[in-house]
């Protein structure tokens, strides 16, 4: 029997070969857990939510768009994108591209090299780079999945497959490096605790822009787009809510005081926003909407994200009230009066639930961030909200950061889609749109037409015509824009 080779000296402790002196096992365990929570938000959270909140004929396609975005993001992330977002500085708003694949890189201590500048110390969590790569991937992936919500029900799946890696490389990495990785907005002092701008404002604006260029759904789908399974939609929403503990709890890169405050504030804001949205529905529409409750929950989560670990819990309640009312107003009132908003077919109203709520959260953070909590998280000395002596400076920085994110996403998203459109059509043809999943994938979510029998459009339309001709009638209750923004409940009387 061969004698095992003697232990070779290396960077690890002799008694615990896998635990180097700089590694904190508690920090590492929490960050891996937080990454898993964020991953659950996408897989299965948003996959389930998307597959159930759309019409039956789009259930498979909608869920697959989320699934594909998640998988493709991971490969591009480790090949190039991680270093572009969190590596060495190439430009004031961009890092140098490079792989995150080797043992030498992934087993070393995590660091943000571009954060060390003009006396600012470099950020170095107490766990390996592999943990940081995984956590930041989950945040990048959910951004693409959220963006998909604007395009459900008509985008050519091949165009989506080409769009996702390009948008990740040329849009997401720019915003992430600028605000988190040590770029110019980071050193200027713009506060984005966990993605109010990088993830939510970015996905909302990019989704709205993409919806404009891809074009609208069929008129029949825009008018009647009721969920195929509201109970399953609530399950997806619940996974999104609970997974947000990792989203905001992992932002400090350690299980510290701000992480604890952030997780509590996240839940408080979500609950407050849900109740606010529901109360407004009852006041103005006479009954609570389950879809509206999910929307309110989501806007509360989005709004608090920009400052979750930096504000008092009473401020999280205030943010929840604002999150449940301002996006409700833009979706239910302003949307119907705006020609632009009416023209662009944002399927799940991502502009309202993420762009509006994300911008709102960023501005409120500029007002409500406390000096003590901000000092625990921010590298900028004396950073604080306007209500705590920060004046208008922090609010101005928040607005400036938002302007950059909006402008960059409009320009880059437009450029990517115009380029992709030269190779493959962005929108499915109308004859495929009338069929849905069967035309796009040759598969259907529910076997309602017999064992192995294909969906027959002409027969279905004839059956519907016969049903309405026999005295049936259809009434559509429209309480908002079609898709997630619509109450779009179809009632047969």
């Amino acid at each position: 029997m061969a004698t095992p080779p003697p232990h070779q000296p290396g960077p690890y402790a002799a008694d615990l070969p896998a635990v180097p002196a700089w590694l904190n096992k508690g920090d590492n365990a929490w960050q891996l857990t937080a990454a898993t929570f964020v991953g659950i938000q996408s897989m299965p959270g948003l996959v389930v939510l998307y597959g159930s909140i759309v019409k039956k004929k789009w259930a498979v396609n909608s869920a697959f768009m989320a699934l594909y975005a998640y998988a493709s993001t991971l490969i591009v992330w480790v090949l190039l994108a991680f270093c572009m977002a969190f590596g060495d500085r190439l430009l004031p708003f961009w890092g140098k591209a490079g792989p995150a694949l080797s043992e030498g890189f992934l087993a070393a201590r995590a660091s943000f090299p571009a954060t060390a500048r003009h006396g600012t110390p470099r950020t170095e969590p107490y766990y390996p780079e592999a943990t940081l790569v995984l956590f930041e991937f989950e945040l990048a992936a959910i951004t693409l999945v959220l963006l998909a919500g604007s395009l459900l029900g008509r985008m050519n799946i091949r165009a989506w497959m080409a769009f996702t890696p390009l948008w990740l490389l040329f849009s997401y990495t720019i915003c992430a490096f600028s605000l988190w990785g040590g770029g110019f907005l980071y050193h200027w002092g713009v506060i984005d605790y966990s993605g109010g701008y990088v993830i939510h404002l970015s996905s909302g604006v990019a989704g709205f822009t993409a919806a404009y260029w891809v074009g609208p759904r069929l008129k029949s789908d825009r008018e009647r787009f009721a969920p195929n399974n509201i109970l399953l939609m609530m399950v997806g929403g619940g996974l999104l809510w609970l997974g947000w503990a990792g989203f905001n709890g992992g932002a400090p890169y350690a299980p510290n005081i701000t992480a604890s405050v952030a997780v509590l504030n996240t839940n408080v804001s979500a609950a407050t926003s849900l109740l606010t949205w529901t109360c407004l529905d009852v006041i103005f529409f006479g009954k609570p909407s389950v879809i509206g409750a999910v929307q309110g929950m989501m806007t509360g989560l989005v709004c608090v994200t920009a400052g979750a670990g930096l504000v008092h819990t009473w401020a999280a309640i205030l943010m929840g009230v604002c999150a449940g009312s301002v996006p409700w107003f833009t979706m239910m009132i302003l949307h119907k009066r705006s020609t632009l908003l009416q023209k662009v077919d944002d399927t799940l109203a991502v502009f309202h639930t993420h762009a509006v709520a994300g911008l709102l959260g960023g501005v409120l953070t500029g007002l409500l961030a406390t000096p003590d909590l901000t000092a625990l998280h921010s590298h900028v000395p004396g950073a604080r909200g306007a209500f705590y002596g920060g004046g208008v400076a922090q609010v101005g920085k928040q607005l400036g950061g938002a302007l950059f994110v909006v402008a960059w996403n409009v320009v880059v998203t437009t450029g990517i889609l115009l380029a992709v459109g030269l190779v493959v059509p962005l929108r499915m043809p109308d004859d495929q749109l009338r069929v849905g999943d069967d035309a796009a994938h040759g598969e259907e979510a529910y076997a309602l037409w017999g064992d192995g029998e294909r969906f027959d459009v002409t027969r279905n339309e004839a059956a519907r015509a016969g049903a309405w001709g026999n005295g049936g009638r259809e009434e559509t209750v429209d309480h908002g824009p079609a898709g997630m923004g619509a109450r779009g409940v179809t009632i047969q009387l």
Side-chain angles (χ1 to χ4, degrees):
M1 184 175 180
T3 303
H7 176 71
Q8 299 296 321
Y12 311 120
D15 55 339
L16 292 171
V19 184
W22 46 259
L23 187 143
N24 183 298
K25 290 186 284 186
D27 284 15
N28 194 36
W30 166 242
Q31 208 65 31
L32 289 171
T33 301
T36 303
F37 272 118
V38 181
I40 288 173
Q41 291 183 288
S42 297
M43 289 288 299
L46 285 168
V47 170
V48 170
L49 190 148
Y50 284 3
S52 56
I53 202 171
V54 297
K55 293 177 77 169
K56 181 185 76 69
K57 72 173 186 175
W58 289 114
V60 172
N61 181 259
S62 300
F64 180 74
M65 285 181 68
L67 175 66
Y68 177 84
Y70 186 85
S72 65
T73 297
L74 177 55
I75 302 305
V76 179
W77 191 249
V78 296
L79 288 176
L80 290 172
F82 172 76
C83 291
M84 295 169 72
F86 297 100
D88 293 313
R89 182 177 183 266
L90 174 65
L91 297 170
F93 52 84
W94 216 359
K96 296 180 181 179
L101 296 169
S102 67
E103 180 269 340
F105 178 80
L106 296 174
R109 182 175 178 178
S111 69
F112 298 78
T115 57
R117 190 162 174 248
H118 301 316
T120 302
R122 181 168 62 181
T123 301
E124 293 185 314
Y126 292 98
Y127 43 75
E129 197 79 43
T131 301
L132 182 62
V133 171
L134 177 66
F135 178 75
E136 295 297 349
F137 149 69
E138 301 291 2
L139 296 182
I142 198 172
T143 309
L144 267 299
V145 176
L146 292 172
L147 193 161
S150 296
L151 305 170
L152 302 182
R154 84 282 201 175
M155 188 172 189
N156 186 335
I157 192 62
R158 289 177 296 170
W160 175 246
M161 293 170 70
F163 172 79
T164 51
L166 294 173
W167 192 87
L168 175 69
L169 289 173
F170 296 105
S171 183
Y172 182 83
T173 58
I174 297 292
C175 296
F177 184 82
S178 297
L179 282 155
W180 289 343
F184 76 107
L185 295 177
Y186 174 93
H187 290 288
W188 189 32
V190 178
I191 298 174
D192 186 8
Y193 175 82
S194 187
Y197 285 176
V198 174
I199 296 172
H200 299 295
L201 180 59
S202 182
S203 63
V205 171
F208 188 81
T209 305
Y212 172 81
W213 289 109
V214 173
R217 291 166 289 169
L218 292 178
K219 184 174 183 293
S220 58
D221 279 351
R222 293 195 72 178
E223 292 175 346
R224 291 186 299 274
F225 208 71
N228 68 82
N229 194 324
I230 287 184
L231 293 180
L232 201 58
M233 178 199 72
M234 294 174 68
V235 171
L239 291 170
L240 197 67
W241 184 344
L242 295 181
W244 225 281
F247 202 105
N248 288 346
Y253 306 118
N256 55 22
I257 292 174
T258 54
S260 299
V261 172
V263 173
L264 175 61
N265 286 345
T266 297
N267 285 275
V268 168
S269 177
T272 304
S273 181
L274 186 155
L275 297 176
T276 301
W277 195 294
T278 300
C279 289
L280 289 172
D281 276 350
V282 171
I283 292 170
F284 287 92
F285 300 129
K287 62 183 69 173
S289 163
V290 176
I291 301 175
V294 172
Q295 290 169 326
M297 171 209 76
M298 193 173 298
T299 55
L301 293 168
V302 170
C303 182
V304 78
T305 293
L310 312 178
V311 301
H312 291 297
T313 300
W314 65 260
I317 295 177
L318 177 60
M319 295 176 84
V321 171
C322 294
S325 54
V326 175
W328 182 94
F329 173 80
T330 65
M331 184 184 297
M332 301 302 180
I333 307 298
L334 183 62
H335 186 99
K336 294 182 178 182
R337 300 179 181 181
S338 169
T339 303
L340 175 62
L341 293 178
Q342 285 282 350
K343 181 179 180 181
V344 178
D345 182 16
D346 180 2
T347 307
L348 299 189
V350 177
F351 176 79
H352 299 285
T353 56
H354 292 275
V356 173
L359 175 61
L360 179 65
V363 174
L364 288 174
T365 298
L367 295 172
L368 300 170
T370 69
D372 292 339
L373 289 173
T374 305
L376 297 176
H377 181 76
S378 176
H379 61 283
V380 178
R384 63 189 65 195
F387 291 175
Y388 296 91
V392 297
Q394 190 61 52
V395 177
K397 292 179 181 180
Q398 299 300 104
L399 291 173
L403 180 62
F404 172 79
V405 171
V406 170
W408 187 267
N409 276 282
V410 169
V411 173
V412 172
T413 303
T414 296
I416 292 172
L417 284 170
L418 291 178
V420 171
L422 296 175
V423 180
V424 60
L426 298 178
R427 184 176 180 270
M428 294 171 63
D430 285 357
D431 59 339
Q432 294 184 15
L433 292 178
R434 281 190 286 271
V435 175
D437 288 338
D438 193 15
H441 303 280
E443 299 164 320
E444 297 179 24
Y446 307 107
L448 300 180
W449 303 100
D451 187 13
E453 185 177 357
R454 290 297 184 187
F455 180 66
D456 187 337
V457 179
T458 58
R459 185 177 63 184
N460 183 54
E461 290 178 346
R464 285 171 55 84
W468 304 142
N470 289 329
R473 62 189 178 88
E474 185 179 54
E475 177 182 343
T476 300
V477 181
D478 181 14
H479 289 163
M484 192 171 183
R487 307 285 283 285
V489 180
T490 300
I491 306 171
Q492 295 182 18
L493 303 175

